[in-house]
Amino acid sequence: MNVNGENEYPLGLIGRVAVLVRTGLAMGIAVAALSFPLAALAGLTLKASIDEIDRQAASLPDTAPALTSRVYASDGTTLISQFYDENRTYTPLSRISPIVAQAITAAEDARFYDHGGVDAKGVIRAFVANRRSGEVTQGASTLTMQYVRNVLRDSARTPEEVRAATEQTNARKIREMQLAVAVERQLGKAEILERYLNVVYFGHQAYGITAAAQVYFSTSPADLTLPEAAMLAGLVQAPSSYDPAGDQTAATDRRNYILDRMVDLHHVARPVADQAKAQPIALRLSEPPSDCAAAAQNDWGFFCDLFKTWWTEQPAFGATPQERLSRLRRGGYTIVTSLDTGLQANAEQHVTAKEAVGSPFAHGLVAIEPGTGRVRAMAVNRVYSVDSSHNGRQLDRNGRAGGTVGSYPNTVNPLLGGGDLPGFQAGSTFKLFTMLAALDQNLPLDTSIYSPQRYRSSYPSAPGEPASCGNRWCPSNASAQMTGAQTMWSAFGKSVNTYFVQLEQRVGADRAVAMAERLGLRWRTDVDKQQASPGKAADWGAFTLGVADTTPLEMANAYATIAADGTYCEPLPVVSITGPDGAPVTTVSARAGDKPVEVAAPRCQQVLRPEVARAAVDAARCTTGYRSRTGDCGGWSTAPAVYPLVKRPVAGKTGTTDNNQAAWFVGISPALSVASFIADPDNPLHAVGTANHDKPIRSAAETLRDALANGPVRDFTPPAVTTAYGKDGRLGDGDRDGTSTRPSATTRPTPTPRVTPSKRS
């Protein structure tokens, strides 16, 4: 071999035989020298023929080493976290300082450019030294042999295969030598050296020279100095023994030995080496993050957890969740997520300002982009951590602490969605599904229903159950001011329970349940699964008042569907995913006609007619004070302060549950959907009370304000007059002359009285 790494051995039969003979001699001596006494030498013969070596070379696993996957925020540069089994980034030799190659050969294989995979001189030297000492004191592994060993270890699939690749046996040593010779005949020296520098272990979870440069000196392999390169090269032999973080003296002595060897090999001049030896080891240790608990910022942990769960559900990455997670930790992917760090910071500030991190009540929100399903923010007043040693105690329904450790402030429970927790009852935010079912059956927005304070429904109820009157379910409104004839506009804006129960009776509770499922809701508790089942759903009258469990992620996405003119998109935490080769990762999609599509592409489908979605948004404008484009909101609403705060077109819905156990608000604009809640995840019976109703409203509204402030003013598309008033529909009072009386995006509407709901809203 020459110094440029070119293979000088001829590939003809004579050359191959010459290499084989020399290698056979070396193997026989090496096994005796490196294992047990000379007596073993007599029983060793070279059994591998030239063809057998070729076959073994072909069997050498061509498996790429495990690489670190990095997860970035939506800007593509802010690191959220990374996932690895072995912290490694593959780096070409051209991007590694030449002094690294000089240092590593001086430390591990001074004759690297002179041998053909097995160093006969080194074997003899080790043999003599080991005979004199009576034990194995020296080895004779070349860089090529070490590379082979690492490849066999990395490609092992079982503990037994790992042991076979690393155990100190004659058979392993012979196979290693044979494969090293074969590798030298196939690859140039430069490529072998590059591969070696990218697989070898340097300690501190640093695999490969790039990870080592980052971990020990917070730099790149191209910028390593001479003393730094020599120190790292010295670690390879025994990373623990020469760890500079544990034993500076041993590390310095080893580094200086490498520098002296570099002088002997004419890599550096003596004055340069002496100057390097005079420098103390100046570590700049860094601990590379791994997995979501080590996210760069703690409030990103819950989003990271959503991403990880999403990844384990994607068939493109393997047949099982375990296989997919292994791919994430070994595949070297570059993942750009949908997390907007600026919006996330604002959302976290708004949430924690209203409910402290140490509160037993969880207060959080999720922001999703309509039309793509991309998750832009996930904020909650919790610390993403498995350490519960200092957590508070769970509280009973009266707020008294018990003996069980609670989930505050530290938890990794997916409180915002994306996991297997059922979530929380969402109250009157579920009225959307009943209204959509009605609109889908062509009932117009001006459908008028007299709504009494209490209504005896057709839905069954057992005596003693909440809101039961005999054998019927008899729900009530939150306020007597709701009594009277209501339309979808006024009933949605005021959150009139008895209106929506009657509307549900007209369209069928089973259709309302099916509509929720169409917009992405899934039932996770046994009770909800039973109630939503065929034959049961038709009698689930309380469904419209939000007695089923759901998550902020699901609700933000359901409302995003109407903001996107009826286009439902699966919640998506990524923008792009590329492999180590820089190519986008694709999967086969039935929706795309079984053609490959990018895994990170939005997965959307039209689940509602645009007119249905637009009509629902028009009614939802009544809630926020933005006022309907086509109808009369009825004079007041449950969240009239939202529009003046957001100062952009906005719609939404409030929600509270029985006995004020939880409070919700979902706010939407054409560009963003935000669902916010407050509840006690440890004990749903521990009510948040009326004093906390405004917190989800304000947190969501302030997040919408921040997200939309610097963007263009985008308004909702109003529904057709026939959707609002039926086939023989008429223009609303504000549009009879062909002009709209809706407030402009910059004009605050006339304030109207507000009634704070006391039961359900």
Side-chain angles (χ1 to χ4, degrees):
M1 297 286 175
N2 59 36
V3 294
N4 295 319
E6 300 300 326
N7 197 324
E8 296 175 340
Y9 291 108
L11 295 181
L13 179 60
I14 295 176
R16 294 168 67 191
V17 169
V19 173
L20 181 61
V21 169
R22 183 163 59 176
T23 302
L25 175 62
M27 287 179 189
I29 299 175
V31 171
L34 300 180
S35 57
F36 44 89
L38 267 176
L41 185 59
L44 293 175
T45 59
L46 182 62
K47 298 181 179 178
S49 66
I50 296 174
D51 291 337
E52 185 176 352
I53 291 176
D54 288 338
R55 286 195 298 270
Q56 290 186 345
S59 69
L60 181 66
D62 192 18
T63 304
L67 300 175
T68 298
S69 294
R70 289 181 170 82
V71 181
Y72 296 93
S74 60
D75 59 9
T77 58
T78 302
L79 183 68
I80 293 176
S81 190
Q82 51 191 17
F83 293 81
Y84 59 80
D85 282 341
E86 297 179 355
N87 178 27
R88 179 189 287 112
T89 300
Y90 197 94
T91 304
L93 195 61
S94 60
R95 291 167 51 193
I96 300 173
S97 172
I99 62 171
V100 173
Q102 294 168 348
I104 203 74
T105 53
E108 294 296 314
D109 190 355
R111 291 174 40 79
F112 174 66
Y113 293 103
D114 300 322
H115 61 68
V118 177
D119 183 7
K121 290 183 179 179
V123 170
I124 295 171
R125 183 187 66 249
F127 167 73
V128 172
N130 294 340
R131 276 293 292 159
R132 286 175 178 173
S133 66
E135 57 182 356
V136 178
T137 60
Q138 290 189 21
S141 289
T142 63
L143 287 186
T144 313
M145 291 168 63
Q146 292 180 43
Y147 165 69
V148 166
R149 189 181 313 142
N150 277 279
V151 171
L152 293 173
R153 183 208 65 190
D154 288 344
S155 62
R157 297 182 180 180
T158 66
E160 290 73 20
E161 291 181 354
V162 172
R163 284 194 294 271
T166 57
E167 62 186 350
Q168 292 293 332
T169 64
N170 299 342
R172 193 270 297 173
K173 204 70 177 180
I174 290 175
R175 183 178 182 228
E176 198 173 277
M177 289 178 172
Q178 292 170 329
L179 293 175
V181 172
V183 166
E184 291 270 0
R185 290 175 46 235
Q186 294 178 3
L187 304 176
K189 288 290 188 180
E191 186 169 358
I192 293 171
L193 184 60
E194 175 181 301
R195 294 189 181 196
Y196 175 85
L197 286 172
N198 279 284
V199 300
V200 69
Y201 181 56
F202 290 89
H204 280 268
Q205 295 300 309
Y207 291 83
I209 189 62
T210 297
Q214 293 170 343
V215 167
Y216 287 98
F217 298 111
S218 298
T219 190
S220 70
D223 296 325
L224 286 168
T225 65
L226 173 60
E228 290 171 346
M231 194 219 81
L232 292 179
L235 288 171
V236 173
Q237 186 181 93
S240 298
S241 299
Y242 301 123
D243 179 7
D247 191 336
Q248 278 268 341
T249 300
T252 301
D253 290 345
R254 176 65 176 166
R255 179 202 66 179
N256 292 347
Y257 166 77
I258 304 301
L259 289 168
D260 287 338
R261 289 291 293 145
M262 294 177 74
V263 172
D264 295 341
L265 296 170
H266 308 293
H267 294 324
V268 296
R270 170 56 66 186
V272 175
D274 288 343
Q275 185 180 14
K277 289 168 66 176
Q279 299 180 29
I281 296 176
L283 293 177
R284 293 183 295 278
L285 281 172
S286 62
E287 186 72 23
S290 180
D291 221 307
C292 295
Q297 286 191 200
N298 183 269
D299 62 295
W300 298 347
F302 293 96
F303 176 87
C304 176
D305 190 78
L306 170 68
F307 157 75
K308 183 178 174 182
T309 298
W310 175 87
W311 181 284
T312 61
E313 295 170 348
Q314 306 309 307
F317 301 116
T320 66
Q322 294 76 18
E323 183 179 341
R324 296 161 194 159
L325 193 56
S326 177
R327 287 279 294 275
L328 177 62
R329 290 172 173 159
R330 299 178 62 86
Y333 296 96
T334 298
I335 300 117
V336 178
T337 71
S338 55
L339 182 70
D340 182 328
T341 56
L343 183 60
Q344 172 71 20
N346 290 338
E348 188 72 15
Q349 179 184 2
H350 300 321
V351 164
T352 55
K354 294 169 186 61
E355 197 68 25
V357 172
S359 171
F361 292 124
H363 176 36
L365 62 80
V366 173
I368 285 184
E369 185 177 82
T372 67
R374 291 194 169 113
V375 182
R376 295 302 186 186
M378 295 183 76
V380 67
N381 63 332
R382 291 291 189 268
V383 176
Y384 190 86
S385 173
V386 296
D387 180 12
S388 61
S389 59
H390 299 292
N391 276 13
R393 300 293 173 176
Q394 292 185 15
L395 306 183
D396 64 17
R397 63 190 308 160
N398 298 313
R400 294 187 296 257
T404 305
V405 175
S407 64
Y408 64 98
N410 293 356
T411 186
V412 293
N413 291 335
L415 301 176
L416 301 172
D420 55 1
L421 292 185
F424 314 90
Q425 292 186 5
S428 292
T429 58
F430 269 43
K431 288 171 181 170
L432 173 69
F433 306 124
T434 300
M435 182 166 65
L436 287 172
L439 292 166
D440 196 45
Q441 293 184 54
N442 298 315
L443 272 69
L445 284 168
D446 75 336
T447 298
S448 180
I449 302 174
Y450 180 80
S451 306
Q453 172 61 18
R454 192 183 192 205
Y455 176 71
R456 181 182 176 86
S457 75
S458 63
Y459 296 112
S461 176
E465 289 184 355
S468 176
C469 53
N471 60 351
R472 294 295 171 188
W473 179 55
C474 302
S476 300
N477 291 327
S479 169
Q481 295 187 46
M482 299 176 181
T483 301
Q486 307 287 349
T487 63
M488 291 189 201
W489 292 293
S490 63
F492 202 78
K494 298 175 184 178
S495 200
V496 183
N497 292 341
T498 58
Y499 177 92
F500 277 94
V501 172
Q502 294 179 78
L503 186 65
E504 185 183 44
Q505 287 179 165
R506 290 193 184 187
V507 300
D510 53 342
R511 288 192 173 94
V513 172
M515 181 59 69
E517 294 171 345
R518 199 191 300 183
L519 270 63
L521 269 66
R522 300 293 177 262
W523 320 121
R524 298 177 182 86
T525 68
D526 292 339
V527 172
D528 289 347
K529 289 176 182 178
Q530 182 181 22
Q531 291 282 55
S533 63
K536 287 279 190 178
D539 289 331
W540 199 4
F543 177 81
T544 193
L545 302 187
V547 296
D549 288 325
T550 185
T551 67
L553 180 71
E554 286 182 340
M555 292 308 293
N557 207 38
Y559 274 73
T561 303
I562 64 171
D565 273 355
T567 299
Y568 169 79
C569 302
E570 297 177 19
L572 188 65
V574 295
V575 172
S576 67
I577 302 174
T578 53
D581 59 354
V585 178
T586 61
T587 186
V588 176
S589 171
R591 292 193 191 123
D594 292 331
K595 295 180 180 179
V597 297
E598 291 189 30
V599 174
R603 304 167 191 182
C604 306
Q605 57 181 320
Q606 195 76 30
V607 297
L608 297 171
R609 286 177 286 129
E611 273 298 299
V612 170
R614 292 169 183 172
V617 170
D618 201 53
R621 291 163 58 145
C622 290
T623 302
T624 63
Y626 185 50
R627 294 173 24 186
S628 161
R629 177 72 177 268
T630 61
D632 182 2
C633 291
W636 60 274
S637 66
T638 58
V642 170
Y643 172 69
L645 179 60
V646 176
K647 296 183 174 63
R648 289 290 193 275
V650 62
K653 185 71 187 75
T654 56
T656 56
T657 62
D658 275 335
N659 302 316
N660 300 302
Q661 291 167 358
W664 287 70
F665 177 73
V666 187
I668 56 173
S669 74
L672 198 68
S673 174
V674 180
S676 182
F677 83 106
I678 184 169
D680 185 343
D682 297 327
N683 182 8
L685 298 179
H686 179 212
V688 299
T690 58
N692 288 320
H693 284 185
D694 280 349
K695 291 178 179 178
I697 297 173
R698 291 197 62 83
S699 291
E702 289 167 1
T703 301
L704 282 165
R705 176 199 62 196
D706 297 342
L708 305 175
N710 297 320
V713 177
R714 293 174 56 190
D715 206 348
F716 302 106
T717 303
V721 172
T722 52
T723 307
Y725 296 97
K727 293 181 180 179
D728 300 324
R730 58 181 177 80
L731 289 173
D733 292 342
D735 284 339
R736 283 180 178 164
D737 60 357
T739 62
S740 172
T741 60
R742 77 186 192 283
S744 70
T746 57
T747 302
R748 180 170 177 165
T750 303
T752 55
R754 180 172 182 273
V755 174
T756 301
S758 60
K759 189 175 182 182
R760 282 185 181 270
S761 63

